[in-house]
Amino acid sequence: MRLAILGLGNISGQYLAQLPALRNLELVAVADLRPDVAQAVADRQGVRALTPEQLVADPQVEVVLNLTTPAAHAPTTIELLRAGKHVYQEKPFALTPDEATAMLSAAREAGTRLGVAPDTVLGTGVQTARAIIDAGEIGRPVSAIAAFGCPGHEAWHPNPAFYYAAGGGPMLDMGVYYLTALVTMLGPVEAVVGMASRTRGERLVPDNAPREGETIQVEVDTHVQALLRHANGALTTVITSFDMTASTLPHLEVHGEEGSLQVPDPNGFGGSPRLFTHPSTGWVEVADRAGFVDAGRGYGASDLVSAIEHGREPRQGADLGRHVFEVMDSILASAHADRVVTIQSSCERPAAVPLGSMPFDS
């Protein structure tokens, strides 16, 4: 399908690097609110530079990678879907539950398809961990712990302010990787309870950073902890923070009745899980068993197009995106209301990825 990219910020380079390997996608145009940026990228890629309005109206564009900032995700995606274009959207899925519902409604009414990031869970790291769980090698899953902590993104990002505005914060920005992996491995979530804090109301961009010396207003919680109950009975603890100087907490561990599993960082595509079963001589590294090998950002968009062409559900589809978003939104709502929140949505676990396959395969 003929593809256009909307939004040419920091993450777009990773997508552009992968597109040549994804043979069911043909990049034909790029668009950005900054015409000079769009033209520069278009010149490098040998494609057309468009304004966002031109992209929406362009009959040649069949599918759009929506890489805009979080506040623009829902409005632009809804407009694109209604214009008859399929959309693969960067995270977060939405800013509010109403936005999430509106996007699903727009896709259904227009007969278009919506896919969502992150597609890191399609790589060998998380997919091999899922294969271990599905094979029963740790027995019935009982619990999991997921943790992400850093001192914030302002030390490296060229435009960090949106991480501290609506749609930002460690849960929506980074928690989505861990929760998508958890739902992929353990299935949907049915209830959550959360607590959150905002360490300071302003953040000073440090020396030697791209925005050195600037002050950022903090509008979101910057440390969030939660307890989740999955529909299969497993309990998960999740920690996401922009207030940790450093951490040795595991990225992701799953514990079952007969063993434990260390899962590679779900913010990446690869890595090797480590398995401990009883009786055992210790942790054993597990070779790749499933997943797209050497994958990168854009594999989810390729899988979306393959799903459209072959009449199946995309692995990173709208129902999964909506469910993970509701879990994150409910964690924050629980923290502010000091109560357990029941999750209203659900989803099927996405289809597993056979080892050695490619996303443009059926």
Side-chain angles (χ1 to χ4, degrees), residues 6-8 65-74 76-77 89-91:
L6 176 61
L8 298 169
L65 269 176
N66 187 351
L67 308 183
T68 56
T69 54
H73 283 175
T76 53
T77 288
Q89 178 184 279
E90 252 299 337
K91 48 85 179 173

Side-chain angles (χ1 to χ4, degrees), residues 305-360:
V305 169
S306 180
I308 295 167
E309 293 172 340
H310 294 96
R312 62 170 175 83
E313 288 300 312
R315 290 181 170 91
Q316 291 301 116
D319 287 340
L320 172 65
R322 185 264 306 269
H323 179 68
V324 170
F325 170 74
E326 185 189 350
V327 171
M328 295 189 297
D329 185 69
S330 297
I331 288 169
L332 296 171
S334 169
H336 297 154
D338 196 24
R339 64 182 178 87
V340 176
V341 175
T342 300
I343 305 301
Q344 301 301 312
S345 68
S346 187
C347 66
E348 298 292 330
R349 284 206 305 161
V353 178
L355 182 65
S357 64
M358 289 295 286
F360 42 78

